[in-house]
Amino acid sequence: MEKKTEQWSDKKIQRRTFFSFAGFLLASVGGWFSWKWFSGLPPTNNRLPELTRDVLSFNERIKDKFFSHKHLAKTYPKARAARKPRLNGFIGIKDDIDTEKWRLEVVSPTGKPSIYFQLKDIQALPKEEIIFDFKCIEGWDQIVHYSGIKFSDFLNKYKLGKKEGTNEWYKYVGLETPDAKYYVGLDIESVLHPQTLLCFEVNNQPLPKLHGAPLRLIIPVKYGVKNLKRIGKMYFSDTPPRDYWHEYGYDYDVTL
Ligand SMILES: Nc1nc2c(c(=O)[nH]1)N[C@H]1C(S)=C(S)[C@@H](COP(=O)(O)O)O[C@H]1N2
Ligand SMILES: [Mo]
C-alpha cells in the first residue's frame, strides 16, 4: 500500500516537472517570437506607434498621479466634517455685506467692460461638494464640508479665462475681496483642478459671513491662505497676480 502511493507521487512529480518545463519552454519561445514580431515590424506599420503610445500614456498616467496638479486631495465621509468649522483670517470681510446686492465682477483681459454675475448665475451650474482636510499654514488643519460649483465649470460655461479666439488659457487667475484688501494669485492648473470649487455653502447651510458669504474659494490643493473668502473680483493674466501673503514673504505657490 505504501509502495503504491510512493510510486504515484513519483509519477506526479515527473509529470509536473515535465509540464512546468514545457511551460517554461513555451513561454520562452513565445516571448522570443513576439519580440521577433515586434522588432521586425516595418516602421510604417500602424501597430507600432500604437503600442509605444500605450506605454507612453501609461507612463504619463503614473507621472500625473504623483507629480502633477491633477492628483486628488483625500476626501472623507460627511460624518467626519467639523460641525462648527474654525474661523481664521478676516482681512477684507469685516464690513457688513448685502448678499442681494453682491455681484462677482469678472474683469475682461482685453479691456472690454467687466461682466457681473449674481449668485443665481453661479448656482445654475451643477452642484458639487467636498469633504477634505483644510490646512492652514499656521499649523492647524480640520476636516470641512463645503458645497458649490467647479471653478472649471464656471469658466467653461461663461467662456472665461481663455485668450480671445484661441483655446489657450491665461496662466493665472487673480481673486480679490470686494474692498480689494485681501487678494490671491492662482496658477491656472490649480484653478482648473476638479476639486477646486466656488462655494456658497458649508455643512449644507448658506455660508456665514465670516466663512466668506456669499461666495468663497475652496482649493484643496493649496494651503488655507489661498482659499479667499468673499470673492468680489476675478481677473486673468499671464504674469503672477498680486498675492497678499506673498507680499509678506510666504511662498507664492503654497501647493500641498
Ligand atoms: N478674505 C479673506 N479670505 C481669507 C483670509 C482672510 O484673511 N481674508 N484668510 C485665509 C486663511 S489664512 C485661512 S486659514 C482661511 C480660513 O478660512 P475659514 O475662516 O473659513 O476657516 O481663509 C483664508 N481666506
Ligand atoms: Mo491660514
Side-chain angles (χ1 to χ4, degrees), residues 48-243:
L48 194 62
E50 203 178 299
L51 277 168
T52 40
R53 198 168 46 243
D54 286 349
V55 175
L56 277 176
S57 60
F58 175 72
N59 288 343
E60 189 76 355
R61 280 203 302 279
I62 299 225
K63 190 205 76 181
D64 282 350
K65 191 155 164 46
F66 293 105
F67 303 111
S68 90
H69 297 82
K70 285 182 205 144
H71 82 270
L72 292 181
K74 187 173 187 236
T75 56
Y76 296 83
K78 263 177 217 158
R80 297 272 313 267
R83 301 292 304 280
K84 236 181 160 299
R86 187 168 170 161
L87 290 166
N88 191 57
F90 307 106
I91 305 157
I93 63 168
K94 285 175 207 142
D95 296 344
D96 277 335
I97 179 154
D98 183 344
T99 53
E100 295 294 308
K101 288 209 186 101
W102 171 90
R103 298 287 183 272
L104 168 62
E105 176 185 4
V106 179
V107 180
S108 158
T110 57
K112 290 184 198 153
S114 293
I115 308 173
Y116 292 86
F117 293 89
Q118 300 186 39
L119 199 55
K120 66 172 166 57
D121 304 322
I122 287 147
Q123 289 171 332
L125 286 152
K127 195 166 165 182
E128 297 275 334
E129 64 177 7
I130 184 154
I131 300 111
F132 74 107
D133 194 13
F134 186 103
K135 297 185 177 80
C136 172
I137 238 160
E138 289 162 43
W140 54 269
D141 69 285
Q142 183 172 57
I143 298 172
V144 290
H145 171 196
Y146 274 91
S147 320
I149 59 156
K150 282 186 186 168
F151 206 139
S152 63
D153 282 354
F154 175 72
L155 297 180
N156 288 323
K157 161 90 179 183
Y158 296 110
K159 306 219 175 334
L160 304 165
K162 282 184 182 171
K163 292 174 195 174
E164 213 167 50
T166 77
N167 206 23
E168 191 193 336
W169 294 98
Y170 281 96
K171 290 196 179 76
Y172 295 93
V173 178
L175 295 178
E176 300 192 350
T177 52
D179 63 5
K181 284 187 180 150
Y182 195 74
Y183 39 88
V184 297
L186 308 155
D187 58 274
I188 191 69
E189 290 81 8
S190 303
V191 167
L192 298 175
H193 186 283
Q195 291 174 316
T196 298
L197 308 181
L198 297 170
C199 288
F200 41 82
E201 284 176 9
V202 63
N203 290 336
N204 288 322
Q205 298 300 313
L207 280 186
K209 180 181 128 177
L210 294 180
H211 279 304
L215 191 71
R216 78 168 299 169
L217 177 69
I218 286 293
I219 184 161
V221 296
K222 305 268 186 195
Y223 275 103
V225 280
K226 295 280 187 182
N227 291 243
L228 187 132
K229 299 188 272 192
R230 196 190 284 184
I231 308 171
K233 187 159 138 183
M234 182 186 299
Y235 62 99
F236 307 95
S237 87
D238 273 339
T239 52
R242 66 187 190 138
D243 189 275

